C-alpha cells in the first residue's frame, strides 16, 4: 500500500496514538539494517536478533494497552450489570432505555478497540513483509512459528482476543435481554438462529469476523466477485452511507446478473442445430456463442466508464440492447439469415452490464452486508449459468403464430426477450439512482471506493505471509520510501488500459494468465458440447441441456467445500497449483485416443475439468483481489475490468478456435480444440511455478 505509514497515522485514534505499532520507526530501522550490512558494520544474526526484540517490544506495548482497555470495558459492564439486576426487580421503561444506550456506548468503544487491534495487526504483517523483501530472508516464517503457540508469547493475544470475545458476548446478551420481549421466557442462547438486530452489534460482529481470519464459504464465494477494498479499516459508521443503499435496487442489480448469465448459456444446447437450419456448418455455433463475448470486450469498457455517472441509465441501456438482441436472434429463423442471428448475439453482448453490477455493490452497499451482496452476485451468476441450459431443455416444442416460428431454436430468444421486457419495466418503476458524490479521478478518502471483492483485506490474509504476497504493494512501498511527496499522485486510479497494464506486476500477470486459461478451457468444454455429443453419442438437445445444467449446479457445492474446508487446510498457492494440475489431467483424459469414445470418458473428464476450473477460479480471484494494486480498485480501468476483459477475450478465442477447427471436420474437432487448451494450461502451470519460486 502506498504511503501506508502516513495513512496508518491518519486512521489512528488520537488519544491512543502512543500505543500503536511504530511503523515509521521500524521502517527506518529496516533501512539502517540494510545499510549496516552493506558496509559490513553489522552481521545478519545480530540484525535478526535486534529486529525480533523490537517486534516483541512493540507487540507487548499493544497487548498491555489492549488488556488495560478490556479491563476498563469490563468494569463498565460490571456496573451496568448491577443496574440491570435492579431493573429486573423494578422495571422502568425510561431507565431500561437509558441502560440500553449505555450498553451500546460500551459496544461503540469496543468497536474502537477492535479497529485498534486490526490496524496494528496489519502494520505488523506489512513490516514483516518489508523485512523479508529487503533481506531476501523468510524471517516471517521464523518469527510467527516461534511465537504463535509459545506460552509466554504476546503475539497470540493479538489474534485470539479471548477477552474481546467475552466483552462482545456480554454486550450482545444484555442488549438482547433489554429488548421489548415481555412475556417471553427465551434467552439469546435459546434462539441461536435469530441474531440480535442491533446496528452496534452488527458492526462489532463484522469487525470480529475480520479479526478471526476464518476462511468460510461466504468469504470464499464473495471473493469471486473481485470487489477489492481499502486495507486499512475505519469505523463502520464512517464507511457506510446508508442513503445510497436501496434493497430493491440491489435486487434489480442481481437480477440483471442472473438474467445475463441465463442469456449467455441458454443458446448453447441449440446453437449448432440453429446454425444447420440456416444453412451453416454445425461448428459455426462457436461464432454464434462467441459473438456475445466479442461485443462484451467493448461493452465492459463503456459500461465501466458510464457507471462513474449513473447506474440506472446503463442498466436501462443494457435491458434494451438485450431485448433487441434476443428479438433479432429469434427472428433470424424466419428471415433465414445467419447474419441477423449474429447481429442479435452482438447486441446481447453490447448489453453486458457486469461492470455496473460489480460497481454498484462496491459503491452503494453498506460494508456490513457487502460480503453477502458479493456472494449473492456470484451465486446469481452460477444459478444463471445452470438455469440457461436447463431452460433450453424445456423449450422443446414447435408451433407458428402468423409468420413467426416458435421452436427449440427460436424460443430461447423469445423467452429472453420477454424476460428482459419485464425486467425493464420493473427497473423503471423500482430502481432508485444513488447519489454520485465521487469522480473517477478523485483521491480515495473512504474504503468504499470502487471495485472489484469485495472483500476487505484486513486480516483475511494470514499473518504468515505465503506465496500470494502482494508484489505490487511491495513495489509501491519502496516508492513511498523514496518519496512521500509522490504518494497522493500514486494513489490515483489508472486513466487508461495502458496505464492499468503498467501497474500489473509479474504475479498479477500470472493470475490473469490463469484466469484466461480457465475461461478458455471452460468455454471450449461448454460451447462445443452440443456438437461433440451429437457426433459421438447422438444426444438430443434435452440430454445436452441436462449435462450442462448439471455442470452449472456443481458451482455452489464445490465452493462450499473449498471455502469451508480446503482453504483452511492448505495455502492458496498450493490449492492454485493443484487445481491447475487437475485441470491439465482432465484435458488429457478428454482426448479421443481409444476407440470407441465413450460417454463415461467424456462425462467424467468434462466434470473433472469443470470442477477443478471452478476451484481454480475461486482461489485465483481470491489471490488476485489481494495482489492487485490499490490503484486498480477504483475508476473506470479497475481490476474487475481487467479480469473481465481477460476472461472475455479467452472466450472469444475459444469460440473462434471451435469454428476454425470445424473446417477440419467434426471427427477431428475434439482433439484439435483440446491441443491449445493443453498448451495454455501447461504454460500457466510453468508460469505459476516460476513466479512463486522467485517470490520465495
Amino acid at each position: 500500500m502506498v504511503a501506508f505509514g502516513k495513512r496508518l497515522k491518519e486512521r489512528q485514534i488520537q488519544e491512543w496514538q502512543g500505543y500503536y505499532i511504530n511503523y515509521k520507526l521500524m521502517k527506518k530501522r529496516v533501512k539502517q539494517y540494510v545499510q549496516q550490512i552493506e558496509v559490513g558494520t553489522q552481521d545478519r544474526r545480530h540484525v535478526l536478533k535486534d529486529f525480533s526484540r523490537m517486534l516483541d517490544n512493540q507487540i507487548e506495548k499493544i497487548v498491555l494497552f489492549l488488556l488495560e482497555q478490556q479491563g476498563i470495558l469490563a468494569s463498565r459492564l460490571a456496573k451496568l450489570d448491577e443496574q440491570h439486576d435492579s431493573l429486573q426487580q423494578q422495571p422502568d421503561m425510561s431507565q431500561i432505555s437509558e441502560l440500553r444506550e449505555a450498553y451500546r456506548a460500551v459496544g461503540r468503544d469496543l468497536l474502537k478497540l477492535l479497529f485498534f487491534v486490526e490496524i496494528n495487526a496489519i502494520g505488523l504483517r506489512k513490516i514483516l513483509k518489508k523485512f523479508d523483501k529487503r533481506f531476501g530472508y523468510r524471517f516471517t516464517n521464523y518469527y510467527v512459528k516461534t511465537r504463535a503457540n509459545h506460552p509466554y508469547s504476546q503475539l497470540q493475544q493479538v489474534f485470539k482476543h479471548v477477552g474481546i470475545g467475552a466483552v462482545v458476548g456480554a454486550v450482545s446478551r444484555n442488549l438482547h435481554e433489554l429488548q421489548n420481549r415481555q412475556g417471553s421466557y427465551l434467552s439469546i442462547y435459546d434462539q441461536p438462529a435469530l441474531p440480535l438486530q442491533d446496528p452496534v452489534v452488527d458492526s462489532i460482529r463484522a469487525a470480529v469476523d475480520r479479526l478471526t481470519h476464518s476462511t468460510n464459504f461466504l468469504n470464499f464465494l464473495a471473493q469471486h466477485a473481485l470487489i477489492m477494498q481499502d486495507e486499512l479499516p475505519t469505523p463502520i459508521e464512517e464507511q457506510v452511507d446508508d442513503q445510497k443503499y436501496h434493497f430493491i435496487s440491489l435486487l434489480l442489480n442481481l437480477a440483471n446478473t442472473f438474467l445475463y448469465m441465463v442469456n449467455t448459456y441458454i443458446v448453447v444446447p441449440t446453437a449448432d442445430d440453429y446454425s444447420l437450419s440456416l444453412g451453416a456448418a454445425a461448428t459455426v455455433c462457436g461464432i454464434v456463442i462467441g459473438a456475445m463475448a466479442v461485443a462484451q470486450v467493448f461493452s465492459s469498457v463503456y459500461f465501466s466508464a458510464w457507471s462513474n455517472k449513473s447506474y440506472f441509465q446503463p442498466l436501462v441501456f443494457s435491458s434494451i440492447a438485450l431485448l433487441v438482441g434476443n428479438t433479432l436472434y429469434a427472428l433470424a429463423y424466419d428471415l433465414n439469415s445467419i447474419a441477423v442471428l449474429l447481429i442479435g448475439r452482438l447486441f446481447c453482448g453490447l448489453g453486458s452490464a457486469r461492470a455496473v453490477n460489480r460497481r454498484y455493490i462496491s459503491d452503494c452497499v453498506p460494508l456490513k452486508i457487502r460480503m453477502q451482496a458479493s456472494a449473492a452476485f456470484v451465486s446469481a451468476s452460477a444459478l444463471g449459468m445452470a438455469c440457461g441450459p436447463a431452460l433450453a431443455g424445456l423449450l422443446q416444442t414447435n408451433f407458428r403464430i402468423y409468420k413467426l416460428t416458435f421452436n427449440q431454436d427460436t424460443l430461447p430468444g423469445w423467452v429472453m426477450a420477454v424476460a428482459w421486457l419485464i425486467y425493464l419495466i420493473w427497473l423503471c418503476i423500482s430502481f432508485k439512482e444513488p447519489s454520485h458524490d465521487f469522480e473517477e479521478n478523485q483521491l480515495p478518502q473512504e474504503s468504499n471506493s470502487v471495485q472489484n471483492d469485495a472483500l476487505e483485506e484486513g486480516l483475511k490474509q494470514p499473518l504468515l505471509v505465503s506465496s500470494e504476497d502482494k508484489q505490487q504493494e511491495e513495489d509501491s512501498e519502496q516508492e513511498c520510501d523514496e518519496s512521500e511527496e509522490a504518494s497522493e499522485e500514486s494513489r490515483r486510479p489508472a486513466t487508461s488500459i495502458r496505464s492499468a497494464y503498467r501497474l500489473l506486476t509479474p504475479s498479477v500477470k500470472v493470475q490473469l494468465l490463469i484466469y484466461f486459461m480457465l475461461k478458455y478451457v471452460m468455454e471450449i468444454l461448454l460451447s462445443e458440447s452440443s456438437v461433440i455429443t451429437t457426433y459421438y453419442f447422438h444426444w438430443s438437445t434435452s440430454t445436452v441441456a441436462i449435462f450442462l445444467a448439471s455442470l452449472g449446479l456443481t458451482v455452489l457445492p464445490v465452493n462450499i467445500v473449498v471455502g469451508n474446508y480446503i482453504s483452511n487446510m492448505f495455502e492458496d498457492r498450493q490449492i492454485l497449483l493443484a487445481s491447475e494440475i487437475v485441470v491439465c489431467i482432465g484435458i488429457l483424459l478428454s482426448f479421443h485416443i481409444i476407440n470407441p469414445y465413450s460417454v463415461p470418458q467424456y462425462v467424467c473428464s468434462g466434470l473433472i475439468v469443470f470442477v477443478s476450473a471452478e476451484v481454480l477460479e475461486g482461489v485465483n480471484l481470491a489471490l488476485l483481489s489481494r495482489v492487485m494494486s490499490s490503484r486498480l480498485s477504483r475508476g473506470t480501468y479497475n481490476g474487475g475490468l481487467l479480469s473481465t476483459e481477460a476472461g472475455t477475450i479467452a472466450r472469444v478465442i475459444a469460440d473462434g478456435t471451435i469454428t476454425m477447427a470445424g473446417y477440419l471436420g467434426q471427427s477431428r474437432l475434439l482433439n484439435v480444440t483440446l491441443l491449445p487448451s493443453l498448451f495454455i494450461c501447461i504454460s500457466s502451470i510453468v508460469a505459476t511455478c516460476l513466479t512463486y519460486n522467485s517470490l520465495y
Side-chain angles (χ1 to χ4, degrees):
M1 181 72 65
V2 179
F4 175 80
K6 180 180 179 182
R7 299 184 64 217
L8 186 147
K9 188 175 181 180
E10 292 172 352
R11 301 289 176 89
Q12 292 178 359
I13 299 171
Q14 292 302 314
E15 57 266 29
W16 295 352
Q17 200 166 31
Y19 301 99
Y20 286 89
I21 184 172
N22 197 333
Y23 182 81
K24 186 175 181 180
L25 172 65
M26 299 183 75
K27 187 173 65 175
K28 288 182 178 179
R29 187 62 62 89
V30 170
K31 285 184 180 179
Q32 292 173 1
Y33 289 149
V34 173
Q35 295 171 356
Q36 290 170 356
I37 288 179
E38 286 178 351
V39 299
T41 59
Q42 199 68 270
D43 62 23
R44 189 176 289 266
R45 286 189 177 183
H46 184 274
V47 166
L48 295 177
K49 181 180 179 180
D50 191 59
F51 190 64
S52 298
R53 184 170 57 248
M54 178 182 290
L55 279 174
D56 291 338
N57 292 336
Q58 290 287 319
I59 293 170
E60 185 174 274
K61 175 184 68 174
I62 295 166
V63 170
L64 292 178
F65 179 75
L66 176 63
L67 294 174
E68 178 186 347
Q69 292 301 312
Q70 288 177 12
I72 294 173
L73 292 177
S75 298
R76 291 170 60 186
L77 284 171
K79 293 178 181 178
L80 292 177
D81 284 345
E82 294 177 1
Q83 298 178 34
H84 192 181
D85 291 339
S86 63
L87 281 176
Q88 286 182 336
Q89 305 297 327
Q90 296 178 342
D92 184 303
M93 293 306 298
S94 62
Q95 292 183 13
I96 288 176
S97 178
E98 291 177 2
L99 186 59
R100 190 184 300 128
E101 286 304 315
Y103 274 113
R104 289 196 180 110
V106 174
R108 284 188 285 269
D109 288 340
L110 173 60
L111 191 59
K112 291 181 181 179
L113 193 60
L114 289 168
F115 286 128
F116 169 82
V117 176
E118 185 171 5
I119 286 176
N120 280 294
I122 294 171
L124 177 62
R125 177 176 56 78
K126 293 185 72 65
I127 198 64
L128 284 167
K129 185 176 66 177
K130 179 178 283 292
F131 187 92
D132 283 354
K133 176 195 173 185
R134 292 295 181 89
F135 288 88
Y137 181 78
R138 296 175 66 178
F139 173 77
T140 301
N141 281 7
Y142 156 77
Y143 188 80
V144 175
K145 285 180 180 178
T146 54
R147 286 153 175 81
N149 297 309
H150 195 280
Y152 303 132
S153 171
Q154 303 287 352
L155 182 64
Q156 60 182 336
Q157 300 296 326
V158 177
F159 296 100
K160 293 187 178 180
H161 54 275
V162 176
I164 289 179
V167 179
V168 172
V171 172
S172 301
R173 182 183 65 81
N174 283 282
L175 281 175
H176 181 275
E177 291 184 359
L178 288 170
Q179 283 184 337
N180 295 326
R181 295 179 180 273
Q182 288 81 0
S184 174
Y185 295 94
L186 297 176
S187 73
I188 192 173
Y189 304 107
D190 298 317
Q191 298 172 295
L194 298 175
L196 174 63
Q197 300 298 318
D198 189 282
V200 173
V201 176
D202 288 342
S203 299
I204 292 172
R205 187 179 296 114
V208 170
D209 285 343
R210 290 196 302 271
L211 273 174
T212 53
H213 179 52
S214 57
T215 303
N216 55 37
F217 167 59
L218 192 62
N219 278 348
F220 186 77
L221 189 63
Q223 287 176 315
H224 285 54
L226 200 62
I227 298 175
M228 300 185 300
Q229 299 181 48
D230 195 356
E231 183 178 33
L232 282 176
T234 57
I236 289 184
E237 292 83 2
E238 296 176 6
Q239 290 184 338
V240 175
D241 182 1
D242 288 320
Q243 294 180 353
K244 281 186 174 184
Y245 176 60
H246 184 235
F247 175 74
I248 299 299
S249 299
L250 174 61
L251 195 61
L252 282 161
N253 190 66
L254 296 174
N256 183 281
T257 300
F258 170 76
L259 287 176
Y260 184 78
M261 293 303 291
V262 172
N263 212 142
T264 300
Y265 290 99
I266 194 173
V267 305
V268 173
T270 57
D272 59 333
D273 185 64
Y274 205 166
S275 301
L276 287 170
S277 67
L278 297 180
T283 51
V284 174
C285 69
I287 294 180
V288 173
I289 297 170
M292 197 168 176
V294 171
Q296 189 179 345
V297 172
F298 304 98
S299 65
S300 296
V301 178
Y302 68 72
F303 269 117
S304 183
W306 202 348
S307 61
N308 289 324
K309 300 179 179 179
S310 173
Y311 299 105
F312 176 70
Q313 293 176 5
L315 288 177
V316 169
F317 177 82
S318 167
S319 305
I320 294 173
L322 283 154
L323 173 60
V324 172
N326 283 289
T327 302
L328 290 174
Y329 182 86
L331 289 174
Y333 187 89
D334 293 303
L335 295 175
N336 194 30
S337 173
I338 191 72
V340 173
L341 183 72
L342 294 175
I343 291 172
R345 288 292 287 178
L346 286 170
F347 265 91
C348 290
L350 292 175
S352 172
R354 288 178 67 81
V356 180
N357 302 146
R358 281 193 176 103
R359 189 159 185 177
Y360 183 87
I361 293 173
S362 178
D363 281 347
C364 305
V365 175
L367 182 60
K368 60 187 178 183
I369 64 168
R370 196 173 299 163
M371 182 171 64
Q372 291 90 327
S374 299
F377 169 82
V378 177
S379 300
S381 299
L383 188 60
M385 182 181 181
C387 287
L391 185 58
L394 297 175
L395 301 177
Q396 301 300 302
T397 186
N398 193 344
F399 61 93
R400 290 179 63 88
I401 298 178
Y402 297 107
K403 296 183 179 181
L404 299 179
T405 303
F406 297 86
N407 57 25
Q408 66 173 11
D409 297 333
T410 63
L411 276 172
W414 290 121
V415 168
M416 292 311 304
V418 172
W420 284 110
L421 178 61
I422 295 172
Y423 174 81
L424 179 60
I425 296 171
W426 183 26
L427 181 71
C428 294
I429 294 173
S430 303
F431 191 85
K432 180 181 178 182
E433 179 76 88
S435 59
H436 278 253
D437 53 355
F438 61 89
E439 295 179 4
E440 179 180 355
N441 290 327
Q442 80 177 64
L443 288 175
Q445 298 300 325
E446 301 92 22
S447 69
N448 60 345
S449 58
V450 177
Q451 169 38 329
N452 279 352
D453 344 338
L455 299 160
E456 329 144 30
E457 269 179 52
L459 294 186
K460 286 186 179 169
Q461 296 184 53
L463 177 63
L464 181 56
V465 253
S466 57
S467 54
E468 66 265 22
D469 287 341
K470 304 176 189 176
Q471 185 69 29
Q472 175 61 37
E473 286 188 352
E474 293 175 346
D475 293 339
S476 299
E477 283 188 308
Q478 187 173 2
E479 293 175 13
C480 173
D481 294 340
E482 297 170 356
S483 176
E484 289 284 342
E485 296 178 357
S487 62
E488 294 299 324
E489 177 64 27
S490 61
R491 287 166 59 186
R492 294 184 182 276
T495 56
S496 65
I497 287 288
R498 184 176 181 181
S499 63
Y501 182 79
R502 288 176 177 174
L503 294 173
L504 302 182
T505 58
S507 59
V508 177
K509 291 176 181 177
V510 169
Q511 303 299 141
L512 290 176
L513 172 63
I514 294 171
Y515 192 66
F516 176 93
M517 179 273 291
L518 67 91
K519 286 299 181 183
Y520 182 93
V521 170
M522 290 175 70
E523 189 71 9
I524 289 289
L525 171 65
L526 299 175
S527 294
E528 71 177 12
S529 59
S530 183
V531 179
I532 295 297
T533 55
T534 300
Y535 177 79
Y536 285 107
F537 318 128
H538 306 291
W539 280 6
S540 65
T541 300
S542 298
T543 307
V544 177
I546 292 171
F547 171 68
L548 294 177
S550 299
L551 289 180
L553 289 174
T554 63
V555 173
L556 293 181
V558 166
N559 282 286
I560 290 175
V561 173
V562 176
N564 282 335
Y565 303 106
I566 297 179
S567 290
N568 291 323
M569 297 168 60
F570 303 98
E571 290 184 7
D572 286 348
R573 173 180 61 89
Q574 295 172 324
I575 303 173
L576 186 81
L577 187 57
S579 300
E580 289 181 89
I581 293 172
V582 176
V583 170
C584 188
I585 293 172
I587 294 172
L588 289 171
L589 292 176
S590 300
F591 277 93
H592 178 201
I593 299 174
I594 302 174
N595 285 317
Y597 193 62
S598 64
V599 172
Q601 180 184 350
Y602 177 77
V603 172
C604 292
S605 60
L607 189 63
I608 291 172
V609 169
F610 189 85
V611 170
S612 56
E614 276 299 321
V615 174
L616 180 60
E617 180 174 6
V619 177
N620 187 59
L621 289 180
L623 289 174
L624 192 57
S625 68
R626 296 201 289 264
V627 300
M628 191 78 76
S629 166
S630 60
R631 292 180 62 186
L632 294 174
S633 66
R634 53 194 172 269
T636 299
Y637 304 97
N638 51 59
L641 177 63
L642 293 180
S643 62
T644 299
E645 293 291 87
T648 304
I649 292 172
R651 291 172 53 206
V652 171
I653 296 175
D655 291 323
T657 302
I658 293 172
T659 299
M660 289 187 292
Y663 288 106
L664 300 177
Q666 292 188 30
S667 61
R668 298 181 179 179
L669 177 64
L670 180 63
N671 287 349
V672 170
T673 53
L674 287 176
L675 283 173
S677 299
L678 182 63
F679 173 77
I680 298 172
C681 186
I682 293 174
S683 299
S684 71
I685 293 173
V686 173
T688 301
C689 294
L690 292 176
T691 300
Y692 288 122
N693 283 340
S694 67
L695 291 178
Y696 274 76

